[in-house]
């Protein structure tokens, strides 16, 4: 398929601002795609479950989240709504890429709001896969969003959000009504 480092998705993708909240926030995250079914037993085996990775944007309605938290209720309505998990094009993983040193960032209207590196994550991807495998049996195309660096901030209609990494690509969406 060629070198995917130059991948850029800048062709007008959009995400609708949800109607059930008023305080939408972004979180840029590394996203790993699972390529086979099963439950890994070791760190080495966990790495064989990855078949691709990309960048994603996890959107959260903070006002809805706070209301639900205060009532002791689950947060699904604040995090699981239509177009709440934006995702870039996947880069294939063949076992040789350095997943412990992926720099990435999030820009809002061209201004850097978040910047991180996979090496700064609290848990490595292989440890995340092992921990999740204690709860679920993986299936092909399962996705793991890994968490976000500091700098989460609010979005408004008309904002352009870009997730970017030299080693993965650049992916943009506009927030629309």
């Amino acid at each position: 398929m060629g070198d995917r480092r130059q991948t850029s998705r800048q062709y007008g993708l959009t995400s609708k601002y949800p109607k059930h909240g008023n305080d939408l926030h972004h979180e840029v995250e590394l996203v790993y795609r699972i390529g086979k079914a099963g439950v890994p037993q070791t760190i080495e085996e966990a790495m064989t479950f990855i078949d691709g990775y990309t960048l994603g944007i996890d959107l959260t309605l903070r006002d809805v989240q706070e209301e639900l938290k205060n009532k002791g209720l689950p947060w699904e309505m604040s995090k699981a709504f239509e177009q709440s998990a934006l995702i870039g094009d996947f880069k294939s993983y063949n076992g040789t890429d350095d997943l412990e040193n992926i720099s990435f960032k999030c820009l809002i209207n061209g201004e850097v709001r978040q910047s991180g590196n996979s090496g700064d994550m609290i848990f490595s991807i292989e440890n995340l896969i092992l921990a999740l495998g204690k709860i679920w049996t993986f299936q092909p195309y399962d996705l793991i969003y890994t968490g976000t660096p500091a700098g989460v901030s609010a979005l408004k209609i008309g904002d352009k959000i870009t997730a970017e990494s030299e080693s993965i690509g650049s992916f943009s969406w506009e927030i629309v009504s």
Side-chain angles (χ1 to χ4, degrees), residues 30 55 100-105 115-119 164-168:
L30 287 166
L55 296 172
E100 298 300 319
N101 188 26
I102 301 172
S103 293
F104 59 100
K105 58 187 169 183
S115 182
N117 186 289
S118 58
E164 188 172 281
S165 170
E166 283 187 28
S167 61
I168 300 173

Side-chain angles (χ1 to χ4, degrees), residues 58-88:
D58 178 7
L59 297 175
T60 303
L61 284 165
R62 295 287 183 222
D63 55 330
V64 174
Q65 183 181 40
E66 189 63 27
E67 180 182 332
L68 294 169
K69 282 167 74 173
N70 288 339
K71 293 179 179 177
L73 297 172
W75 307 352
E76 288 101 46
M77 290 180 64
S78 70
K79 295 192 81 61
F81 48 87
E82 221 173 302
Q83 299 178 337
S84 65
L86 310 176
I87 196 158

Side-chain angles (χ1 to χ4, degrees), residues 83-112:
Q83 299 178 337
S84 65
L86 310 176
I87 196 158
D89 297 327
F90 279 90
K91 180 177 180 178
S92 293
Y93 178 66
N94 63 9
T96 62
D97 296 342
D98 182 4
L99 301 182
E100 298 300 319
N101 188 26
I102 301 172
S103 293
F104 59 100
K105 58 187 169 183
C106 178
L107 299 92
I108 305 300
N109 302 320
E111 177 187 325
V112 176

